[in-house]
Amino acid sequence: MDLLAGTHLLRSGQQLPVKQALEGKQVLAFYFSAHWCPPCRQFTPALAQAYRQSRQAGQGGGVEVIFVSSDRSQTDMTDYMKESHADWLAVPFGSPCVQALSSQLGVRGIPALKVVGRDGSIISDEGRQEVMAMGTSAFAQWEMLAPAEVDTSTVELLRENTEEVRKEAADILVKLLSNIVAEPGNTKYRQLKLANKTIEEKLLPASGAFEILFSVGFEEAEDKLVLPLGADVKTVEKFRDAIKNIDSASEVVEAVSAQPVAAAPGPSSQTSALLLPGVLTRERQFLDKLVSCLAHMDTYEDAAAQAKAIAVMPVELFNTTARTKFEAARRTNPEVTEDLFKDILLLEFKEWFKTDFFSWVDSPPCPVCGSATQSRGLCVATSQEQQDGAGRVEGYKCVQCGLQEVRFPRYHSRPEKLLETRRGRCGEWANCFVLCCRALGFDTRHVVDWTDHVWAEVWSKAEGRWLHVDPGETVDKTLVYEAGWGKKLTYVVAFSKDEVQDVTWRYSKNHEDTKNRRTLVRPMWLVRNILQLTGKRQLRFSEEEKSRLMSRRLTECLEMLTARSVGEGDRIGRQTGSLAWRLARGEVGEIKSEYVFIPSEEEVEEGVMEVEYDCAEDKYFRTGRKVVKEGFMSAMFSSKNVARKVESDWNMVYVARMEGNCDKGEVTWKFRMAEGTEVGKVQLMVGSSCYSTGVVTWTLCSDRCCVLPPAGEQLETEQLAGSGEIQLTARLGGGEGESAWQHSQLFRCSKDGPAGLPQMKITIWFKKSGV
């Protein structure tokens, strides 16, 4: 960098040549600070911590901090660095570079952190704010934004033309760029009128010609293209040489063909269609968003954040319930592999997250009276809110008590904060959900829809594909946004810790219509930048890991080539053959869990066994209300087309047929007497509710006879006396219309409890056999 020419830098008191000190660094963060400045002393430890953590691979190690002191003396500067600085570089005290850097970078006060590329290009004027909001992730983001080596791969687009068209276009481009190299200050050579006959007839028809000009640095200006005087002539020279050598295999840039990317299916748009006003500005903004979203993925890898997520989740319950369902699936199909267990675990976690953990907020309730509030615009975030990751804070006022400041911080950069607040809109839902997924070990993507929505994708090893998971909505219904919500998608990009991928085509019901709406950036520009960002992510990966990811990426691209119809989108979960999804929806026929209640030694001694199911707590209890099983399915003997349902909006829980499945449902519990004993007397209470034409039929049977217990009333009978085992069965049917599955319910009660009367409680007195 010219401003550092002729000087040296300091590290730990040692003088180092600039070239040696900055070897391997792509980004320079100039830290203007002084010990006498209180805000500086407050910010320096935070910067030092982020700097130290960023020295790890992939965390921003290509960024170097250079301290530019405004201290009053050499001693003050030295003491300040020893006291609270990290082991970064420093400009010598009193160096002329201090004033030059301050002037060049527009420093108006301290502390200030100005982030630039090695070529002097500004990466961020707000380094201090970004460190406070993002911590170590800020370093990773700056590294991503580092000016790349000149990529002349767009020259390869000329190969798509006929030999004649390519040669004519190449000759014009070489002449144009050579004139600029020869006379860089001559504005005549830096303008290209689109109405010029040669340009219109020779360049416009040539595929790739205008992509090359944009890559060189030309910008639109009414009826012409202009190369700004600040454009790097070396870049112009490299593109000129690449065009001259286009037929040389040595000029082929392997980076662009290294990995597959999901480009728009079908023919490419005409080059002329790309000449839209402001495209370069939009592309810069688009790239900033790509880089920021990718850098955000590092927040999910923070070990402390993942530990917090594990601490708030009932992981043991997820595993127990998922294992029960997995074993039921294995009995149905012995060939299923252990990989299926992870998919079932995902479903259990997602249902808990949606119904028990996170809540939706349109406007926050008044903290004083609990009434509704109205928006009053944005508030200035406090320093604590900024440290907790709030990018902005919405302000509301209470319509009832008149409280004027009800704050709703929109936490983003530190998703672990959402583990405490547990509320928000789609952004917070997806942000917290992805963190929890990573904590549970799922390979997870954060998916950003440019029309303002976010969700997740989770890799299924059993399915060999990415599964669409919207934590507040649905699972594996990729066309729900266009077919159900009426959205007109443009760009949908998925980010993971390993890569970036354009997944728009997975969620598009009409690829041609979607392509016509994608006008923000040039298609090949998007492909190239996604590949470059992915390549940087995988820079330190082993060849084996790169090969695995590339194979998976290629399979995904092939999958997205063909558009799905809306019907297929609605049925995608059923058509994939995934036993996990079909099991969750009750589509595998009868599930035989084959759990049997058998009296314990203590119960045999007492001569009575008591079993109760509480739907609100979703637990089974034995004599003395001891918990023996958690989860409705965990203690069933068999079931078909039934599941526990949580209605968050009504705060109710119940057991019903699978959502959307109006076929009959059935569930059975079995009770077997201990050896040498038989049933004496049975007391039973069951609860069920019917709406419209819904029907629930209860039967209590032995091998000798059956009785029909009435719902909501206590049954006491000795008709089953002498039996070795009995079965309690509920059959659900009837109902009208699409909601028929809801018209017959078991155990309906408030989600918060207490439930009042037992929903299912059976007491069996037994006696010695033959007595």
Side-chain angles (χ1 to χ4, degrees):
M1 189 176 176
D2 290 343
L3 286 175
L4 293 176
T7 187
H8 59 267
L9 294 172
L10 302 176
R11 189 192 296 275
S12 301
Q14 300 295 317
Q15 294 187 6
L16 298 172
V18 172
K19 184 177 180 181
Q20 177 184 338
L22 299 180
E23 185 176 359
K25 305 300 180 182
Q26 296 86 45
V27 178
L28 309 181
F30 288 97
Y31 180 38
F32 296 83
S33 178
H35 184 266
W36 53 261
C37 167
C40 295
R41 293 198 302 272
Q42 182 181 9
F43 173 63
T44 300
L47 177 61
Q49 180 181 3
Y51 176 84
R52 294 187 188 101
Q53 293 175 346
S54 72
R55 300 305 90 183
Q56 301 172 12
Q59 297 294 315
V63 180
E64 183 56 70
V65 172
I66 301 175
F67 175 42
V68 185
S69 173
S70 294
D71 286 296
R72 297 187 174 101
S73 68
Q74 173 72 58
T75 302
D76 288 349
M77 173 182 170
T78 303
D79 291 345
Y80 185 26
M81 294 188 69
K82 289 180 179 178
E83 177 185 307
S84 55
H85 286 224
D87 185 29
W88 48 51
L89 297 168
V91 174
F93 181 80
S95 169
C97 284
V98 173
Q99 185 59 42
L101 285 167
S102 180
S103 175
Q104 180 71 22
L105 299 177
V107 176
R108 297 292 179 266
I110 58 172
L113 187 63
K114 303 293 184 177
V115 186
V116 303
R118 287 293 297 269
D119 60 358
S121 59
I122 300 296
I123 292 177
S124 174
D125 276 323
E126 307 294 339
R128 176 192 176 194
Q129 289 83 346
E130 290 170 2
V131 169
M132 292 301 296
M134 302 168 60
T136 308
S137 297
F139 280 79
Q141 176 168 308
W142 299 333
E143 187 175 39
M144 283 289 182
L145 288 170
E149 292 292 324
V150 178
D151 177 11
T152 60
S153 58
T154 49
V155 171
E156 293 300 309
L157 296 176
L158 292 176
R159 295 181 183 277
E160 299 175 5
N161 301 287
T162 63
E163 184 176 355
E164 181 181 357
V165 171
R166 184 183 76 224
K167 188 176 185 308
E168 288 181 338
D171 289 345
I172 295 171
L173 289 169
V174 168
K175 182 178 180 180
L176 171 66
L177 299 182
S178 294
N179 287 337
I180 297 173
V181 172
E183 297 184 51
N186 191 335
T187 56
K188 171 181 142 180
Y189 296 132
R190 290 174 172 264
Q191 298 185 29
L192 191 66
K193 292 186 178 180
L194 299 177
N196 180 284
K197 186 176 180 180
T198 301
I199 300 301
E200 188 175 1
E201 293 181 357
K202 304 296 184 182
L203 273 192
L204 195 59
S207 177
F210 278 90
E211 281 91 339
I212 292 171
L213 292 173
F214 283 129
S215 297
V216 168
F218 278 86
E219 299 176 357
E220 297 106 336
E222 298 179 351
D223 61 342
K224 56 181 175 287
L225 298 183
V226 175
L227 182 66
L229 287 172
D232 189 356
V233 177
K234 291 182 180 179
T235 299
V236 178
E237 189 175 0
K238 287 191 176 182
F239 270 93
R240 181 200 62 183
D241 294 342
I243 297 169
K244 284 182 177 180
N245 299 312
I246 188 171
D247 291 324
S248 172
S250 63
E251 289 296 320
V252 176
V253 180
E254 297 179 355
V256 173
S257 59
Q259 297 193 56
V261 65
S268 301
S269 304
Q270 291 294 318
T271 303
S272 57
L274 300 175
L275 298 179
L276 300 172
V279 66
L280 295 179
T281 300
R282 294 197 304 272
E283 287 179 345
R284 179 63 182 179
Q285 294 169 344
F286 202 104
L287 179 59
D288 286 347
K289 187 170 182 177
L290 290 177
V291 170
S292 178
C293 289
L294 183 57
H296 184 65
M297 297 307 299
D298 294 330
T299 64
Y300 304 127
E301 303 307 305
D302 182 79
Q306 290 189 8
K308 289 180 182 177
I310 291 294
V312 301
M313 293 188 286
V315 179
E316 185 175 348
L317 176 59
F318 298 158
N319 280 294
T320 300
T321 308
R323 181 60 61 182
T324 299
K325 293 183 177 181
F326 173 73
E327 294 301 334
R330 178 169 278 175
R331 282 190 290 272
T332 302
N333 180 2
E335 296 182 2
V336 300
T337 67
E338 188 69 22
D339 294 334
L340 176 64
F341 172 75
K342 289 286 285 185
D343 287 1
I344 302 176
L345 182 67
L346 172 65
L347 291 176
E348 293 301 315
F349 157 62
K350 188 264 180 188
E351 187 62 24
W352 168 84
F353 188 91
K354 177 182 178 181
T355 59
D356 295 335
F357 186 68
F358 224 78
S359 60
W360 183 268
V361 173
D362 283 318
S363 59
C366 175
V368 175
C369 67
S371 300
T373 58
Q374 291 180 343
S375 174
R376 53 185 294 271
L378 295 178
C379 302
V380 177
T382 66
S383 59
Q384 185 60 54
E385 287 168 338
Q386 290 180 14
Q387 290 178 24
D388 288 338
R392 58 192 174 93
V393 178
E394 297 175 1
Y396 294 83
K397 61 181 179 180
C398 180
V399 299
Q400 185 66 34
C401 71
L403 183 65
Q404 288 298 302
E405 188 171 83
V406 180
R407 302 174 69 84
F408 180 32
R410 302 301 304 278
Y411 295 111
H412 173 71
S413 63
R414 293 189 64 226
E416 64 266 33
K417 180 64 179 179
L418 297 171
L419 299 170
E420 302 171 20
T421 63
R422 304 184 184 187
R423 65 176 188 170
R425 303 192 191 115
C426 58
E428 288 88 352
W429 276 73
N431 205 6
C432 188
F433 184 80
V434 172
L435 171 61
C436 292
C437 279
R438 290 298 301 133
L440 289 170
F442 291 109
D443 194 351
T444 312
R445 285 171 164 176
H446 191 236
V447 183
V448 180
D449 159 25
W450 256 243
T451 63
D452 196 26
H453 192 47
V454 282
W455 58 87
E457 289 181 346
V458 178
W459 177 256
S460 166
K461 192 173 180 181
E463 292 275 298
R465 64 184 178 91
W466 290 97
L467 305 174
H468 158 242
V469 187
D470 192 321
E473 299 293 337
T474 186
V475 174
D476 219 20
K477 295 286 188 179
T478 56
L479 300 187
V480 66
Y481 306 114
E482 289 200 336
W485 297 15
K487 284 170 97 39
K488 294 186 181 299
L489 300 176
T490 55
Y491 300 91
V492 181
V493 183
F495 303 86
S496 77
K497 65 181 182 64
D498 301 324
E499 61 184 352
V500 187
Q501 176 68 299
D502 182 357
V503 295
T504 309
W505 317 108
R506 177 176 292 128
Y507 299 93
S508 166
K509 66 178 182 179
N510 186 314
H511 287 183
E512 194 61 36
D513 286 350
T514 302
K515 277 196 296 179
N516 291 334
R517 291 193 295 269
R518 286 163 61 101
T519 58
L520 280 179
V521 298
R522 292 166 287 151
M524 287 306 299
W525 177 94
L526 179 60
V527 171
R528 185 170 64 255
N529 278 279
I530 282 178
L531 289 177
Q532 287 177 348
L533 290 172
T534 297
K536 285 186 177 182
R537 272 277 152 169
Q538 299 178 6
L539 201 58
R540 297 178 177 86
F541 288 14
S542 67
E543 291 304 316
E544 182 181 0
E545 179 66 3
K546 288 180 182 178
S547 177
R548 182 185 70 83
L549 292 171
M550 184 186 296
S551 176
R552 191 170 76 174
R553 191 181 184 96
L554 178 59
T555 300
E556 178 181 26
C557 290
L558 292 174
E559 170 206 332
M560 291 190 285
L561 282 176
T562 304
R564 297 187 179 98
S565 70
V566 173
E568 290 171 340
D570 291 338
R571 297 191 302 271
I572 186 66
R574 298 186 177 107
Q575 288 190 333
T576 58
S578 166
L579 193 54
W581 308 138
R582 293 189 293 131
L583 181 64
R585 296 186 176 98
E587 296 167 356
V588 294
E590 184 178 7
I591 300 173
K592 292 191 174 182
S593 303
E594 298 186 346
Y595 184 85
V596 179
F597 289 97
I598 301 174
S600 65
E601 292 183 3
E602 183 180 349
E603 288 170 331
V604 170
E605 187 175 332
E606 294 291 332
V608 62
M609 174 173 65
E610 186 178 278
V611 175
E612 178 181 351
Y613 173 68
D614 187 322
C615 193
E617 295 188 44
D618 198 23
K619 295 177 181 177
Y620 287 89
F621 301 90
R622 291 287 286 265
T623 306
R625 202 163 172 79
K626 297 177 182 177
V627 177
V628 291
K629 285 284 184 180
E630 295 192 19
F632 171 67
M633 293 185 64
S634 65
M636 298 184 305
F637 181 72
S638 64
S639 68
K640 180 179 181 181
N641 190 30
V642 292
R644 179 175 177 266
K645 171 72 175 174
V646 180
E647 285 186 345
S648 298
D649 48 354
W650 294 99
N651 201 40
M652 301 296 288
V653 290
Y654 54 85
V655 172
R657 287 168 283 178
M658 294 289 182
E659 185 169 346
N661 191 335
C662 299
D663 294 339
K664 291 182 178 179
E666 182 176 305
V667 57
T668 296
W669 296 267
K670 178 175 280 193
F671 309 86
R672 181 178 298 146
M673 302 305 102
E675 187 176 352
T677 65
E678 59 188 35
V679 175
K681 181 176 68 173
V682 177
Q683 189 179 86
L684 176 66
M685 170 72 78
V686 291
S688 55
S689 307
C690 296
Y691 307 90
S692 184
T693 58
V695 177
V696 175
T697 303
W698 289 94
T699 59
L700 183 64
C701 300
S702 69
D703 55 350
R704 301 182 180 185
C705 68
C706 286
V707 295
L708 302 177
E713 299 179 18
Q714 184 167 286
L715 168 73
E716 192 169 305
T717 180
E718 295 184 5
Q719 295 183 57
L720 306 175
S723 303
E725 64 181 34
I726 56 177
Q727 291 188 170
L728 173 64
T729 299
R731 296 179 176 86
L732 298 82
E736 296 181 349
E738 294 182 355
S739 299
W741 63 274
Q742 272 186 312
H743 292 167
S744 50
Q745 302 177 8
L746 310 181
F747 318 141
R748 183 179 179 88
C749 64
S750 169
K751 181 175 178 289
D752 299 329
L757 292 174
Q759 295 128 44
M760 185 197 81
K761 184 175 182 180
I762 184 169
T763 306
I764 305 172
W765 286 268
F766 32 84
K767 57 186 179 180
K768 291 183 179 180
S769 300
V771 176

